[in-house]
Amino acid sequence: MTSRLRLAIQKKGRLAEESFAALKNCGLRFSVRGDGLLARVNNMPIDLLLVRDDDIAGFVSEGVSDLGIVGENVLLEEQYVQGSKLDAQIDRRLGFSRCRLCLAAPENGNIQTLQDLNGTRIATSYPGVLGNFLTKNEIDAIPVTMKGAVELAPRIDIAASICDLVSSGATLEANGLKAFQTILESEAVLIKSDRPMGRDKQAVYDRLVRRLDAVIRSKDSKYVMLNAPRSKIDDITRLLPGSDAPTIIPLPGDDNLVAIQAVCTETVFWETLEALKDNGARSILVVPIEKMMS
Ligand code: ATP
Ligand code: ZN
């Protein structure tokens, strides 16, 4: 049995690009050729299995792949459909490929709220997730499973409403539909099974996830540098988003002024900069962080 760690990712699609980018940011070097199902990582003992996203959870469960990157929406659906047979769990959330699974109906039609769904059909590619949501909310409606073109269903009376993925809402709008309820907020997740993976693979896994965590953490992180009156250190520290102990450096030639430098792990908005300025900060610099490991 190979000691190379296998990671299944989507070959082509909305999840693929961001998965490739995350792995490249982790320093993995690989090239994807034509129709190949397997991409070898040159600088780490990892092989990428390039497949359809629907197959990823099953591959992990059956031991074909040690790990997988998949949308939480797809994983949950597989979990609902296969139940305890599926051995594929969320290892960590990856923070990209965010989208929402929503209920939507024709604008200005009969269906505006959850209660209006009673006794109607709902077209969806997610009968498991939807069925669970309906049961929990005591709604008596019938999911109709469609693998694609779900947004066309209301127009041809297949169903009165739909339950589908939404990111910008443009597809819904183009089909005269309007989302009225979110049933799941999804993002890409790293999945693995509960089986132990053996010492060699475990060591590769540990290295990979440490890098993944560093990439995820540094994504929104910025290094903030500014000068400020000594009397304002506390106020300014409180304003810096997601930073714990900033570095305070005295400025030669001016006892009242210090330089403050901090890693901010949350988004630094323009509003934050304006508030810093209102509190006496000057010469504010916000720079991106490429890598971060604690
Ligand atoms: P496949 O051919 O692999 O079966 P697919 O057609 O099922 O692909 P895609 O449309 O490529 O799937 O979407 C894959 C996943 O990407 C979705 O299940 C969802 O988790 C995520 N996703 C959906 N919309 C977006 C978006 N706008 N941006 C990024 N990720 C998204
Ligand atoms: Zn798919």
Side-chain angles (χ1 to χ4, degrees):
M1 191 65 186
T2 170
S3 66
R4 294 177 72 81
L5 190 77
R6 278 194 164 179
L7 168 61
I9 59 175
Q10 191 192 29
K11 183 181 176 65
K12 221 171 99 186
R14 293 188 284 187
L15 191 60
E17 274 169 45
E18 290 184 278
S19 304
F20 285 128
L23 296 175
K24 293 233 151 117
N25 283 338
C26 287
L28 270 57
R29 286 206 293 271
F30 55 89
S31 49
V32 179
R33 279 189 211 97
D35 270 348
L37 207 65
L38 197 80
R40 225 177 135 84
V41 176
N42 314 325
N43 57 341
M44 267 172 102
I46 298 177
D47 288 334
L48 305 178
L49 278 181
L50 309 170
V51 294
R52 290 198 54 179
D53 67 345
D54 314 69
D55 296 334
I56 293 175
F59 277 4
V60 168
S61 174
E62 278 141 33
V64 177
S65 186
D66 303 292
L67 300 171
I69 294 179
V70 71
E72 195 181 359
N73 51 313
V74 172
L75 174 71
L76 275 181
E77 183 60 26
E78 289 289 309
Q79 286 176 334
Y80 281 127
V81 173
Q82 295 205 33
S84 58
K85 275 194 307 207
L86 190 83
D87 180 8
Q89 279 68 245
I90 296 183
D91 178 81
R92 65 233 305 124
R93 315 179 77 80
L94 299 172
F96 58 81
S97 288
R98 289 185 193 276
C99 55
R100 294 179 297 140
L101 188 60
C102 292
L103 285 161
E107 215 163 357
N108 309 319
N110 295 335
I111 296 177
Q112 308 270 350
T113 68
L114 278 186
Q115 298 311 320
D116 301 335
L117 293 170
N118 278 305
T120 67
R121 289 191 302 265
I122 310 170
T124 188
S125 310
Y126 298 89
V129 179
L130 174 61
N132 188 270
F133 175 86
L134 294 174
T135 308
K136 248 196 219 146
N137 287 278
E138 297 178 357
I139 306 284
D140 189 14
I142 309 140
V144 178
T145 306
M146 288 175 75
K147 286 291 179 199
V150 173
E151 65 282 356
L152 302 181
R155 232 191 288 166
I156 46 175
D157 269 344
I158 290 180
S161 65
I162 69 166
C163 171
D164 205 6
L165 287 183
V166 177
S167 41
S168 71
T171 311
L172 288 185
E173 209 175 298
N175 287 284
L177 302 170
K178 193 167 181 277
F180 62 92
Q181 173 91 33
T182 298
I183 74 168
L184 174 74
E185 305 254 3
S186 176
E187 65 187 273
V189 291
L190 181 73
I191 58 170
K192 71 195 257 292
S193 76
D194 283 335
R195 282 183 308 273
M197 55 172 82
R199 221 179 51 198
D200 290 353
K201 280 189 181 177
Q202 182 71 39
V204 184
Y205 161 84
D206 288 343
R207 272 178 78 199
L208 176 66
V209 295
R210 197 165 64 187
R211 290 187 186 189
L212 268 175
D213 288 344
V215 167
I216 299 161
R217 279 185 56 210
S218 67
K219 205 169 161 208
D220 287 329
S221 295
K222 296 280 184 283
Y223 198 69
V224 177
M225 297 180 270
L226 54 87
N227 293 343
R230 192 176 283 280
S231 59
K232 292 287 191 178
I233 292 177
D234 286 348
D235 293 335
I236 285 183
T237 302
R238 262 195 298 275
L239 284 171
L240 294 169
S243 85
D244 18 69
T247 309
I248 316 284
I249 308 159
L251 287 175
D254 193 339
D255 278 352
N256 291 321
L257 214 57
V258 292
I260 300 179
Q261 304 186 351
V263 172
C264 292
T265 55
E266 291 160 27
T267 313
V268 180
F269 295 104
W270 282 108
E271 288 76 7
T272 314
L273 297 191
E274 286 157 5
L276 287 168
K277 210 161 159 59
D278 290 344
N279 275 275
R282 293 291 176 268
S283 308
I284 310 172
L285 267 185
V286 181
V287 295
I289 295 173
E290 195 181 282
K291 295 189 178 68
M292 206 158 74
M293 194 178 281
S294 47

